[in-house]
Amino acid sequence: YIVPAARCVPPKQRCGCARLRRSVPKFSQPLNMRVIAPALLLGSATAVKFSRHSELAGSSDSGLEDAAMQELQDALNAYSDANLDPNMPLDEAVDHVSQRGVPASLVNALSAANITGLPAALLSNTVNTTSASEHEEEDVGAADDDAAPKINPVVARIFKIINGMIVQDQNKLVLKVFQCKKQQTAFKSAYRSNRMNFQAQSYKLQEALSSEKLGQLEQFEAAARLRKLIPSRRSVKIRCAADIRQLQAEFRRISYDYALAAKIATGTSCAKKPTTTFLQSCTRMVEDGRVEAVVEFAEGTEHREMVELMQTSVGRAAVTRGLIEAVGPENLGGEPPAALYEVSSRRQREAAQWLKEQAMDEGDDEDQEMNDEEDELAHRETDFNDYFYEDPDYEQESGVTEEPFQPTQQDIEGEKAVEAAVAEISQETEEKDEDLSDKDAPPNGWINEKELAKAEKELLLVGVSAKPKNVTLPKKQANRKSKMNAKFFCTVANNPNCPRFRDKLEMIVAELLSEKQHAEWLLSTTRSECTKQIAELDTQISTMDAKKSDGARIEAAASARKSDSTGAIASIEREGRKLLRTFAGQTKDCRTELKNLRNTVCGSKKLKQEVITIEAKQRKGKRLEINDCSVGDWRPQECMNTKIAQQLEKQGIFNPQKAVNARRALKSLLHKCGPGGGVQWFLRDKVSPPQTAQYGANCPPLRLKTVCNDFECPVNCKLADWEGWSACSKTCDGGLKRRVRSVTVYPQWGGSSCDSTKDEQTCNALSCDRPCLLQNWGPWRACTRACDKGMRWRSRKIKRAATGDGRCPRTFSKARYERRVCNAQPCPLDVMCVARMDLVVGIDASGSMGASGWKAQRTALLGLINRLQFSKKSGLQLGVLKFSYKVSVLQQLTDDKKKLVAAVTKTKFDRWTTNIGGAFRSMKGMLQFGRRDAPSVCMLWTDGRPSRPSSKYDAALGAKDLRSSCRVMVVTMRPAVPKAYVAPWVSHPKSQNVLVVQHPNLMVSKVMDVNTFVCGKVQRFLDWTKAQNKTAR
């Protein structure tokens, strides 16, 4: 095991190393065993295998075991061999020989040979023994008698006795050296095991501390989060309760107003004419000199008393608007107050959210971009679903064909059929409007006891009596009434047309129904959102409670493991200190014994040389040259497998390098580790053989073997597979996701340590305020009109949505939307629509149209039919429906002009209410008979707002559903239905899909405007006289 240190003196002066004095380290001082430091096997050939662990020793305390090992190694290096030291004083040499005991035979021989001049101490400790070495020397001397110099036989006997002493002491020295080496090896193995156990327990302690900190961190994070969540939940609950109470009160008030309006409408009959007027017209002068006018129920009427019972300004404004439209704005004598038609921004936002509408255009002809607030609410990318905006079929060419249209014989016959139909319609009388009965009413009739009972029941549910007689108004409401009367001057007004009046009453009911539905939706949405928020907070609180409990459990388990590991480490520390103390004592004993044996050998050799000198002086002759055998340092060989070493020993091979051949690699011969150990040879060579062999001392042993690598093999750490990644701690701005793995086999006996059992990666590193990413520009869309300033546009869709406070251009901002004017030339006076499309037209048959308006509508529709080129293959198909209380399909999509003319001519005037929502839904049903490869257009004609059974929101929802299937267009025929009101119904762009006509009677003169409004490709129509003459030729 010895790796020789540098010699302290030349080979012949090595006994001088005996003067080496090293202080033995004291191990009484306390040792700090908390630093993981395995035993350093310095000077050993096998220490290289554990050099990696020696790097872990970084503290000053780790030098104690190093000093102990080095102390023993120095002693072994200094005293393992004993060559002659001529500089040793004779007195010192005699003292060493005397201490071991001088044989009596040597004393007698010296006396017989008359060898004088030796120190007297040589005779102080004599022993009567005859060593085996003396007999060996005698035998050797007898065998080599001829080669030996001729000297006095007594002197020769002295040499033999001293040689025996030298050989005997050299053998003792060799045995002691290897005994100390064995103790060193045992200490290395024991201390190494101690350090490896310490390392394993320290690793477990480190894991326990890490887990304990993790548990504490989990509890801290959960507690910090709970301190925010619990007050937040309390505040949300309080705020939600207050909002719900407010919305419930608002819902009760609007429900009450709706019930009153329903009672007014349901209790009004057109079967009998009223005997007195029940309306009054009120006017007032405003600051800028304008005259404002309103219509109210007359004082003293039951209707007036019901209106005064209404609890919301929305209800009263709806009644006033309905009465104004029933009388007709042109008959007021002034302008209606603008406040009646204003809608608050909050109301607009709530309506946009309720409908998830796309655009709420204000109706300007330039189709200006919407403001930020409206656009953010109205143009949600996920909700924008517009057939005309997205459908590629509209990439077809549009415009005016200058070549005159050449009518065929079939077109001429169709023209005649249309003229006959128009004449038939013009001859219809208006007696139907004068002779009305309840049987002409929609289902359930106007006067219906069930409806009246239902209205009274709804009034009772909201806590107010249905009977308005002798009702005392609240003080604030009475004051408000007196102020209104002070501002307006009222006169009796003529009663309106009853069907029209009934339609407007139902419109009032529909508006209040929409408000009731909206209030109910707000209440339901608020409850749902509050429930969702509270549930989400409860989930987070539960998660944090579970996290806190898990943290406490982890901390408790880790604390238990920490306690176990701490106790084990303390026990290992005590054992390690005990090993160090024991080894310190062994080192001290080895050093003392080795030094004594080494000095004894050196003293015997010095005594022998002194005897040779004295003998030469007595003989007065030349000094005899008698030198003892000297050997080199021990050379440790590789540790070999025991069985292989035994086989090689029989072959006289002690160096495994010499046994390597093509079939046997060096690696297969060696013993790295394992119980029982292997075999290691120590070899040394003769530096010089003994001169005058009969009188020189023989060589000490040149070959010895010992056990090596008798320790457990290293056990490397083994880890389980990684578990799955945890969720990212943050959704943006750089969070962390974690994964862990468990230790299946802990490292032992110097095995490789475990890699990290925890792994973290950054995730969602993008900023929370990341802007959106846009796609490339799409193609330019076809022009919306054939002439008179159409519009082309292109857009960019969102490729990746914005996150956090990141900005994203609005749908119709310049970054995402471009448009340009197209087909700006004026439209010809007379054109024929030659576009290929499926067109569905819905005409208004409600009572507000009046008989003249109904005639004008049908006449205008016939005029439009006369300017459409029908062809199932390459032209146009048309479908027609009418809507009032119910919706009737007059003709499904067809290219047969005669069927269309007959359907429009024979249909009757339904009067009654305006079911716009039902009309939109019926249009979508009619499109199933259309062509898949032809664009679809749906055009609605109306003069009023939705009324029962439809409502504002019902119409908007029907239009929203229809926009995904066709291009939705609206023609309004009353100022009471402004462009801004119907803008949410139509397709994009709004200004290109709403046509305003001031009165139904003007529809006949607007046929060409309607034709160029709906048709994307038109052709000049040939003068009728020229076409007739050309056909005759």
Side-chain angles (χ1 to χ4, degrees), residues 12 30 92 174 190 246 419 553 649 728 736 773 830 962 977:
K12 292 185 178 181
E92 182 181 346
V174 170
Q246 180 180 355
E419 289 179 355
R553 177 181 55 79
E649 184 179 0
C728 192
L736 287 177
L773 181 64
D830 196 0
L962 180 62
V977 189

Side-chain angles (χ1 to χ4, degrees), residues 243-258:
D243 291 345
I244 290 173
R245 284 195 301 269
Q246 180 180 355
L247 291 173
Q248 284 176 335
E250 185 178 348
F251 175 71
R252 285 193 295 268
R253 289 193 295 270
I254 197 67
S255 298
Y256 178 68
D257 290 357
Y258 165 73

Side-chain angles (χ1 to χ4, degrees), residues 117-168:
L118 295 175
L122 183 64
L123 304 177
S124 63
N125 186 17
T126 59
V127 292
N128 295 319
T129 58
T130 302
S131 64
S133 58
E134 293 183 41
H135 299 293
E136 292 175 3
E137 292 296 332
E138 290 175 359
D139 296 338
V140 172
D144 299 333
D145 203 31
D146 296 336
K150 301 299 182 181
I151 62 175
N152 188 334
V154 178
V155 175
R157 179 171 177 75
I158 293 173
F159 290 160
K160 291 177 183 179
I161 294 172
I162 294 176
N163 288 342
M165 293 169 57
I166 292 173
V167 171
Q168 185 181 27

Side-chain angles (χ1 to χ4, degrees), residues 760-834:
E760 292 184 348
Q761 282 188 3
T762 57
C763 52
N764 296 336
L766 296 176
S767 171
C768 291
D769 303 331
R770 181 181 60 180
C772 67
L773 181 64
L774 302 178
Q775 295 180 359
N776 294 329
W777 284 103
W780 285 99
R781 309 308 304 276
C783 196
T784 57
R785 301 185 60 149
C787 52
D788 200 13
K789 289 187 180 180
M791 183 187 297
R792 300 187 68 182
W793 75 91
R794 65 175 183 172
S795 63
R796 301 175 70 183
K797 294 185 178 180
I798 293 178
K799 186 176 183 180
R800 185 189 65 210
T803 57
D805 292 334
R807 301 293 297 172
C808 191
R810 303 187 306 274
T811 305
F812 296 103
S813 64
K814 293 181 179 180
R816 294 183 55 191
Y817 181 77
E818 290 184 352
R819 61 187 178 188
R820 62 178 57 164
V821 176
C822 56
N823 296 335
Q825 70 277 13
C827 291
L829 296 179
D830 196 0
V831 295
M832 173 68 74
C833 178
V834 294

Side-chain angles (χ1 to χ4, degrees), residues 331-514:
N331 300 324
L332 290 179
E335 299 178 1
L340 290 175
Y341 299 95
E342 290 179 353
V343 181
S344 66
S345 59
R346 181 183 69 86
R347 208 69 172 173
Q348 290 181 356
R349 289 195 301 270
E350 291 174 352
Q353 184 180 1
W354 190 81
L355 295 171
K356 293 184 179 179
E357 266 297 328
Q358 286 73 41
M360 195 59 137
D361 196 288
E362 294 300 331
D364 52 314
D365 293 336
E366 297 298 327
D367 195 34
Q368 296 294 328
E369 295 179 13
M370 306 179 69
N371 61 52
D372 292 351
E373 185 178 30
E374 290 174 334
D375 186 72
E376 291 299 323
L377 290 170
H379 296 296
R380 301 291 186 185
E381 189 68 23
T382 54
D383 297 330
F384 196 82
N385 186 15
D386 195 315
Y387 170 80
F388 185 58
Y389 184 80
E390 298 177 347
D391 186 46
D393 291 337
Y394 277 98
E395 297 296 331
Q396 61 186 358
E397 291 296 328
S398 61
V400 179
T401 303
E402 296 297 333
E403 181 182 354
F405 179 78
Q406 302 294 332
T408 62
Q409 184 63 36
Q410 185 178 1
D411 294 330
I412 296 175
E413 293 175 357
E415 174 74 18
K416 293 179 179 179
V418 168
E419 289 179 355
V422 170
E424 182 179 348
I425 291 174
S426 62
Q427 294 175 2
E428 292 179 356
T429 63
E430 299 184 7
E431 295 178 357
K432 297 177 183 179
D433 291 338
E434 299 173 359
D435 184 15
L436 299 174
S437 62
D438 290 337
K439 66 180 181 180
D440 296 320
N444 299 328
W446 292 128
I447 305 299
N448 189 298
E449 295 299 329
K450 291 183 179 180
E451 290 292 331
L452 287 172
K454 181 179 178 181
E456 291 185 4
K457 185 176 180 181
E458 289 187 1
L459 288 172
L460 291 174
L461 287 176
V462 295
V464 183
S465 173
K467 298 180 179 180
K469 301 288 186 179
N470 301 324
V471 175
T472 302
L473 297 176
K475 185 176 181 180
K476 291 184 179 180
Q477 191 168 342
N479 292 337
R480 182 167 58 249
K481 174 186 173 184
S482 62
K483 290 180 181 179
M484 289 294 293
N485 289 338
K487 291 181 180 180
F488 283 93
F489 299 92
C490 302
T491 59
V492 176
N494 295 328
N495 293 334
N497 174 275
C498 190
R500 179 182 177 85
F501 179 64
R502 275 297 321 210
D503 185 23
K504 297 308 176 184
L505 289 180
E506 291 298 333
M507 185 191 74
I508 295 170
V509 175
E511 284 194 30
L512 293 179
L513 175 61
S514 296

Side-chain angles (χ1 to χ4, degrees), residues 897-940:
K897 184 182 289 188
K898 292 182 179 179
K899 288 184 178 180
L900 291 167
V901 171
V904 174
T905 304
K906 295 177 181 179
T907 187
K908 295 182 179 181
F909 184 28
D910 292 340
R911 301 174 179 85
W912 318 130
T913 60
T914 309
N915 186 4
I916 294 179
F920 283 139
R921 285 185 284 271
S922 297
M923 285 180 173
K924 186 171 183 179
M926 294 174 66
L927 291 175
Q928 62 182 326
F929 300 101
R931 297 163 291 183
R932 291 188 177 183
D933 58 345
S936 301
V937 179
C938 301
M939 183 169 56
L940 183 82

Side-chain angles (χ1 to χ4, degrees), residues 386-388 394 920 923 927 936-940 958-970 982-990 992-994 1013:
D386 195 315
Y387 170 80
F388 185 58
Y394 277 98
F920 283 139
M923 285 180 173
L927 291 175
S936 301
V937 179
C938 301
M939 183 169 56
L940 183 82
K960 181 177 183 290
D961 191 32
L962 180 62
R963 280 198 304 274
S964 63
S965 302
C966 70
R967 177 184 180 183
V968 179
M969 311 176 77
V970 174
V982 300
W985 303 346
V986 300
S987 295
H988 174 82
K990 307 299 182 181
Q992 299 289 313
N993 290 299
V994 179
F1013 169 65

